[in-house]
Amino acid sequence: MTTLRTRWILFAGLAVVVIASYLITVHFRTTASPATQAAFDYLETLPESSVVVFSFDHEASSLPEIKPISLAMLRHAFQKNLKIVGLSLFAEGTAIGYSLLRKTAGEYGKVYGEDYIFLGFKPQYISAILGMGESIRRVFPQDYLGNVTDTFSIMRDVEDYNDIEMVISIADGDRTVQWIEYAGPRYNQKVMAGLTAAMITSYDPYLSSRQLYAVVGGLRGAAEYETLLGKRGGGNRGMLAQSSAHIYVIALVLIGNIIYFRNRKRRGRG
Amino acid sequence: MRTRIPLLVCLVSGIIMFAQYFSSHPIAKTVYNGILEWWQIIFAFTMFVGVAAFIRNSLKNMRRKGEAPYRVAALVGLTLMPLLALIGGTKFGSPFLWAFDNMIAPMQSTVFSLLAFFVVSASFRGFRARTIPATILLLTALIVLIGRIPIAELISESFPKLTFWIQSYPSMAARRAILIGIGLGSMTTALRVILGIERTYLRGE
């Protein structure tokens, strides 16, 4: 009974901390990490009309963390007048990718088929990644809305990876690994990622070996990117909630250990 | 014969895929592109198999006590989304996208966010400095937890640097070791399958 009550108190505490954090507005100074800075600098220096692929390789469950990353990077790409080819190698990422692309394209007055396109979902990601190295139009003969891909001006000069400057995989799992392992060595395709915080350490070896060009990691990465872009968004808004939750967990760990050592001391005396 | 033919198919396929990697001959390219297309077609059909198995399993388990509402909800969801897509399309403003944005995404995010509550509970009840290795792990976790939030820079500029060092050296060394192990293991398994030494995919025959 006591355990159950303690658990409820802990849960309620977290809920209060997070909800209260969203009610308060605090602006943090978020210094960009080298990985976020590299991602920003790359898009910043790309010439206008360069083609980048945004691959929405994630589920809906990670949306609160993934959405601010996607929005910040898409806004930057549209702001720099880059051409965006969107797709998804995860079924659930399809509807999300389409919505986010359409939303950001609307903000910058971009035209579907000229400035951006959404190719939709392809099952069997490995064959899709390898197939795109031979012919993107062959893998995606139709776009998400069922139109023939060839009819859009954006796709006229895009045949394979030779015409793509960068693949940006927005992922909450290991789908980016497949981009790195299959599009990288065989087709020399540069890959960068927008990842959930839980996945960052899994990609550190790829980042260190430069197989992965750059990473925008977690809500913190999104906040850093927004700061570099000069447009505050979901990343910065979530920083107080994330900071408060971290401090709450740290406090609980410390309190838990104090109780543990006090009880051990008592038992030792007894 | 039931074993030899699959083993032969596996050997030939493995050798073809291995050899074509080093060839830019048009025949090799055609074979490669053909295999990639077949791979996708076969995979797409496995989805139908998955859906059929799910429906069968749900109908079978519906008679179990207390399970019927959940099974019905699952089947309604499974039928509703493709129906909405077929009737109203998947364009912006379509019923399909509305259902996805307002039902699937919030429900999945809610389930995923439960993890935070489990982490809180576990950190209070399980994260104890009982031994020296446990203490090292605990201190490392606390440093990384602090180092990943903006407040860390206000406390000390060393926190983010220390976090970066932990991630770049001790953590990365462990990750690399695991990745190299996985890589070697994958290569060995692939060779064993191609050469017919590993036969568990043939139900152990």
Side-chain angles (χ1 to χ4, degrees):
Chain A
M1 192 65 189
T2 316
T3 314
L4 198 65
R5 199 170 54 200
T6 312
R7 200 175 291 168
W8 277 108
I9 292 167
L10 297 176
F11 290 174
L14 180 67
V16 169
V17 163
V18 172
I19 292 167
S21 302
Y22 270 103
L23 298 175
I24 306 162
T25 310
V26 176
H27 295 304
F28 285 108
R29 186 171 63 95
T30 41
T31 313
S33 66
T36 310
Q37 188 72 54
F40 182 85
D41 289 345
Y42 186 83
L43 290 190
E44 187 68 16
T45 51
L46 270 183
E48 276 192 14
S49 300
S50 301
V51 182
V52 288
V53 165
F54 270 81
S55 183
F56 299 90
D57 307 325
H58 55 82
E59 293 173 303
S61 56
S62 55
L63 204 53
E65 210 174 0
I66 284 291
K67 193 176 172 182
I69 299 172
S70 305
L71 286 177
M73 295 185 89
L74 283 170
R75 280 179 180 139
H76 191 200
F78 278 133
Q79 192 179 299
K80 298 300 297 178
N81 292 320
L82 305 177
K83 306 243 180 219
I84 297 177
V85 175
L87 57 98
S88 176
L89 299 181
F90 222 118
E92 278 184 36
T94 317
I96 299 165
Y98 174 64
S99 298
L100 293 177
L101 251 177
R102 202 178 177 281
K103 177 186 160 74
T104 41
E107 288 173 17
Y108 292 88
K110 299 293 177 185
V111 180
Y112 188 84
E114 278 180 35
D115 303 305
Y116 76 102
I117 190 168
F118 192 66
L119 300 176
F121 166 69
K122 266 291 150 188
Q124 222 319 308
Y125 43 89
I126 296 173
S127 70
I129 293 169
L130 290 173
M132 283 173 69
E134 304 297 317
S135 168
I136 294 174
R137 272 172 278 178
R138 200 164 157 172
V139 177
F140 292 97
Q142 291 185 330
D143 72 346
Y144 175 66
L145 303 170
N147 306 304
V148 178
T149 313
D150 266 346
T151 55
F152 294 105
S153 63
I154 187 174
M155 294 305 288
R156 234 163 261 157
D157 300 323
V158 178
E159 179 55 39
D160 52 32
Y161 289 130
N162 289 322
D163 308 309
I164 304 289
E165 292 296 331
M166 177 66 80
V167 168
I168 302 170
S169 171
I170 310 287
D172 60 0
D174 65 349
R175 203 59 94 238
T176 310
V177 173
Q178 271 82 48
W179 279 110
I180 296 166
E181 289 181 351
Y182 292 99
R186 182 154 191 161
Y187 300 104
N188 292 319
Q189 178 57 54
K190 277 187 187 163
V191 179
M192 66 162 86
L195 301 167
T196 49
M199 293 309 298
I200 298 172
T201 48
S202 304
Y203 285 90
D204 276 343
Y206 295 108
L207 191 63
S208 161
S209 63
R210 305 290 285 174
Q211 286 170 286
L212 182 61
Y213 189 84
V215 163
V216 179
L219 209 58
R220 166 82 195 239
E224 291 170 0
Y225 207 97
E226 286 167 5
T227 307
L228 290 170
L229 195 60
K231 266 183 183 274
R232 301 183 78 83
N236 273 292
R237 266 199 308 277
M239 272 300 93
L240 182 62
Q242 195 184 55
S243 302
S244 312
H246 276 217
I247 292 167
Y248 182 66
V249 170
I250 292 165
L252 288 180
V253 171
L254 294 176
I255 293 166
N257 275 281
I258 290 167
I259 294 168
Y260 168 71
F261 280 110
R262 206 181 58 184
N263 289 346
R264 204 166 78 165
K265 208 173 171 184
R266 269 186 203 160
R267 276 201 300 272
R269 274 184 203 152
Chain B
M1 208 61 171
R2 276 178 63 197
T3 316
R4 275 187 190 169
I5 291 173
L7 283 176
L8 198 66
V9 170
C10 187
L11 177 72
V12 172
S13 309
I15 290 171
I16 288 173
M17 283 307 279
F18 182 77
Q20 63 76 32
Y21 188 86
F22 301 99
S23 171
S24 55
H25 193 276
I27 294 175
K29 283 264 175 199
T30 311
V31 169
Y32 176 58
N33 282 323
I35 288 171
L36 289 181
E37 277 173 13
W38 272 99
W39 194 355
Q40 284 207 330
I41 293 164
I42 292 166
F43 191 85
F45 274 97
T46 63
M47 285 184 164
F48 287 111
V49 177
V51 170
F54 179 78
I55 293 171
R56 209 180 110 191
N57 195 36
S58 299
L59 291 173
K60 205 171 96 183
N61 292 329
M62 209 176 270
R63 286 181 212 118
R64 279 193 200 164
K65 201 184 168 189
E67 284 217 12
Y70 305 109
R71 299 286 173 183
V72 170
L75 288 173
V76 167
L78 186 79
T79 323
L80 189 69
M81 289 308 281
L83 266 181
L84 289 177
L86 285 171
I87 295 165
T90 54
K91 279 184 182 174
F92 201 75
S94 63
F96 171 82
L97 266 191
W98 184 90
F100 187 86
D101 289 340
N102 297 292
M103 291 165 79
I104 294 178
M107 281 194 288
Q108 286 219 8
S109 299
T110 305
V111 172
F112 192 58
S113 69
L114 291 178
L115 270 179
F117 292 92
F118 295 137
V119 168
V120 162
S121 177
S123 62
F124 179 69
R125 296 177 321 125
F127 222 168
R128 299 277 190 267
R130 286 194 176 94
T131 58
I132 292 173
T135 312
I136 294 169
L137 184 69
L138 181 76
L139 289 173
T140 313
L142 290 180
I143 291 166
V144 174
L145 266 173
I146 299 170
R148 289 292 300 170
I149 54 176
I151 295 169
E153 290 167 41
L154 301 174
I155 302 167
S156 166
E157 285 193 359
S158 308
F159 266 121
K161 284 178 188 166
L162 196 56
T163 305
F164 185 69
W165 183 86
I166 290 167
Q167 280 183 259
S168 303
Y169 296 97
S171 168
M172 182 115 66
R175 283 274 171 199
R176 281 230 166 96
I178 294 166
L179 280 177
I180 291 167
I182 293 170
L184 290 173
S186 305
M187 273 184 357
T188 315
T189 310
L191 270 177
R192 283 171 61 88
V193 170
I194 290 169
L195 297 175
I197 302 163
E198 176 68 55
R199 298 177 182 193
T200 42
Y201 68 97
L202 296 170
R203 290 193 173 182
E205 281 178 54

